[in-house]
Amino acid sequence: MAQTFTTQLLPSLSSRLGILQLNNPKSLNALTLEMIRSMTPTLDAWQASGIVRATLMVGTPYEKKDGNTTPAFCSGGDVKSVYLAGMSNDLVLPAEFFREEYRLNHTIATQPPHLPQVSIWDGVVMGGGVGLSVHGKYRIATENTIFAMPECKIGLYPDVGGSWWIPRLKLYSQWQNKLVVGGVGNYLALTGARLKAEDLIYAGIATHYVKSNRLEELKRCLVDASDDDNSSKLEGLGDCVESVLISFHDNGIDSNASFLSQNRLDIDFAFDGKDSVEEIFDSLESMGPYSQFGTSTLSILKTMSPTSLKVTLEGLKRGAKAQTIAEALQMEYRIVMHMMKEGSDFYEGVRAALVDKDGNPKWSPANLIDVTEEMVNRHFEELEDELSFTGNENAKL
């Protein structure tokens, strides 16, 4: 891929720490094709350089007119540009965007152990922003973090490797006294639930919690740690950032008070091991009118694209059987490219959420019962131009 230079991404080296600063603040650092085409060659060059010992990914805060700032990591992919291209019957840009985004996700997921990635989730982390970071070794949450995969709300699929990591999300069960998959992954993917730091620590999605007023100090310490050993044999140096992150982790966060923890039994009851979205709806309805979790979750699901809900559940089942992240991303590319076709819910979802902003999408079909198995399976059919990868296609769980 040819290197693209854009002010929306500010790569830099500080000592032996490679820093990627997402710099699209007016859109809360939404990921554009230009950013992808700058980031991928940069990461490739750093990996090949023999110099860089770790990478740090951060977002530029949005400065409001009143002088106050809103922290943000990345609000997602630039789906509005994809929408506009598709509405003009141009599927070249959508194909390029998703193909190159997924290859970037793959690059991050398969980085060698001696080149760990640290992502600081200070602010919003959604969709494409999750793909940039969740596959890296370290994810730092702060009190400002808002994390979500809201794709079903816009008629899309929780992609960027979601079919790989979501069905492999294991949480400790005090009832079974072991790590289990449970229903949390399906819950997050289907509802687009917004998680805070305590939820992310509880679920193991974030690896550390650091208060925002310590982030600048953390960055300085990461830079210093990257230069502790001047040896050129990076593979033998080990992880230079692990001890720093441990020292900054704030153990005061109470993950047992998180929404996920408090509602774990209900989440597992409704979302674990269900063969269909209809079964999930039935489980939520069976909780009765006095169950706040059941009624509110059911209300949220009824606003989502019925097609997206069914395709998402099927995609998570297939993703759980994938042997590599490359295989999962190839499947996701098929899904999203089928969703780019004329008349799909994607265009109506983006219109309602980001264009007209009326919040009232007209899904087609409008009801779960009308979304047939054939319609779902169509999203997984092979394409004429499949997504392919070169090099290491494996990612460690």
Side-chain angles (χ1 to χ4, degrees):
M1 181 191 301
Q3 179 89 46
T4 293
F5 296 95
T6 172
T7 58
Q8 294 178 343
L9 182 76
L10 305 178
S12 62
L13 279 175
S14 187
S15 189
R16 300 176 74 177
L17 181 71
I19 302 173
L20 292 168
Q21 182 174 347
L22 310 178
N23 190 46
N24 188 15
K26 289 185 178 181
S27 298
L28 299 181
N29 300 317
L31 183 65
T32 65
L33 184 56
E34 290 75 22
M35 293 165 74
I36 295 168
R37 288 176 170 172
S38 176
M39 194 180 305
T40 301
T42 298
L43 286 173
D44 289 343
W46 285 350
Q47 182 173 327
S49 69
I51 298 173
V52 177
R53 292 196 60 191
T55 59
L56 174 65
M57 195 176 294
V58 297
T60 300
Y62 172 60
E63 185 173 346
K64 296 182 285 188
K65 292 180 179 179
D66 60 7
N68 294 319
T69 59
T70 299
F73 178 75
C74 177
S75 61
D78 184 15
V79 293
K80 190 172 181 179
S81 293
V82 172
Y83 162 87
L84 292 173
M87 290 295 289
S88 301
N89 295 317
D90 173 17
L91 291 185
V92 174
L93 187 145
E96 291 181 346
F97 180 87
F98 290 115
R99 185 185 297 116
E100 295 183 29
E101 182 184 25
Y102 293 176
R103 285 175 176 162
L104 174 58
N105 300 148
H106 182 265
T107 294
I108 292 169
T110 57
Q111 285 177 320
H114 61 268
L115 189 60
Q117 175 175 301
V118 180
S119 299
I120 297 181
W121 285 347
D122 192 32
V124 64
V125 187
M126 295 185 182
V130 175
L132 290 178
S133 51
V134 76
H135 305 295
K137 188 173 183 179
Y138 300 113
R139 292 88 60 190
I140 315 303
T142 76
E143 73 277 12
N144 300 317
T145 305
I146 301 174
F147 178 105
M149 293 293 287
E151 283 77 8
C152 287
K153 189 175 183 179
I154 59 169
L156 201 56
Y157 176 90
D159 58 341
V160 291
S163 63
W164 176 256
W165 71 268
I166 293 175
R168 290 168 175 77
L169 187 63
K170 292 184 177 182
L171 286 73
Y172 179 76
S173 169
Q174 61 183 7
W175 305 280
Q176 301 180 54
N177 195 31
K178 62 179 181 179
L179 290 172
V180 298
V181 171
V184 171
N186 286 346
Y187 168 73
L188 299 181
L190 295 172
T191 67
R194 296 191 172 198
L195 305 184
K196 297 181 179 180
E198 54 265 31
D199 296 298
L200 296 167
I201 293 296
Y202 172 75
I205 300 172
T207 57
H208 300 81
Y209 174 69
V210 179
K211 291 183 178 178
S212 59
N213 61 8
R214 299 198 68 196
L215 292 179
E216 290 305 316
E217 181 187 1
L218 170 61
K219 293 173 188 176
R220 290 194 295 270
C221 290
L222 291 174
V223 171
D224 292 342
S226 73
D227 200 33
D228 274 351
D229 191 326
N230 291 319
S231 168
S232 61
K233 296 181 180 179
L234 294 182
E235 292 85 347
L237 294 182
D239 189 327
C240 69
V241 299
E242 182 178 19
S243 61
V244 174
L245 298 177
I246 291 173
S247 69
F248 273 81
H249 176 66
D250 189 336
N251 289 304
I253 188 169
D254 185 6
S255 60
N256 290 322
S258 69
F259 178 87
L260 292 181
S261 176
Q262 296 296 311
N263 293 276
R264 178 73 181 280
L265 282 174
D266 286 342
I267 291 172
D268 284 347
F269 172 76
F271 290 89
D272 183 21
K274 300 298 186 292
D275 289 329
S276 69
V277 179
E278 286 89 345
E279 284 186 38
I280 293 173
F281 273 53
D282 290 343
S283 296
L284 292 167
E285 288 175 345
S286 73
M287 293 181 182
Y290 300 106
S291 167
Q292 183 177 353
F293 176 84
T295 55
S296 63
T297 303
L298 192 59
S299 177
I300 290 169
L301 288 174
K302 287 180 177 179
T303 68
M304 304 296 181
S305 160
T307 301
S308 284
L309 290 176
K310 287 198 171 183
V311 171
T312 293
L313 187 60
E314 178 63 24
L316 293 175
K317 291 178 186 177
R318 297 190 186 203
K321 299 176 182 178
Q323 297 300 306
T324 66
I325 190 171
E327 183 182 336
L329 287 167
Q330 287 165 338
M331 178 190 71
E332 291 179 10
Y333 185 70
R334 293 174 182 173
I335 293 172
V336 297
M337 289 311 299
H338 284 295
M339 287 180 166
M340 292 301 105
K341 293 180 179 179
E342 183 179 357
S344 80
D345 275 354
F346 168 74
Y347 296 102
E348 177 62 9
V350 174
R351 179 206 64 76
L354 302 176
V355 181
D356 297 336
K357 300 182 180 179
D358 57 29
N360 187 30
K362 306 298 182 183
W363 305 123
S364 180
N367 301 302
L368 283 175
I369 194 172
D370 296 321
V371 182
T372 66
E373 184 177 350
E374 180 185 359
M375 293 167 64
V376 172
N377 290 336
R378 199 176 300 151
H379 290 78
F380 299 88
E381 293 176 353
E382 292 186 5
L383 305 169
E384 289 186 9
D385 185 13
E386 293 278 303
L387 174 66
S388 61
F389 296 93
T390 57
N392 178 22
E393 295 192 359
N394 300 306
K396 294 183 178 180
L397 299 181

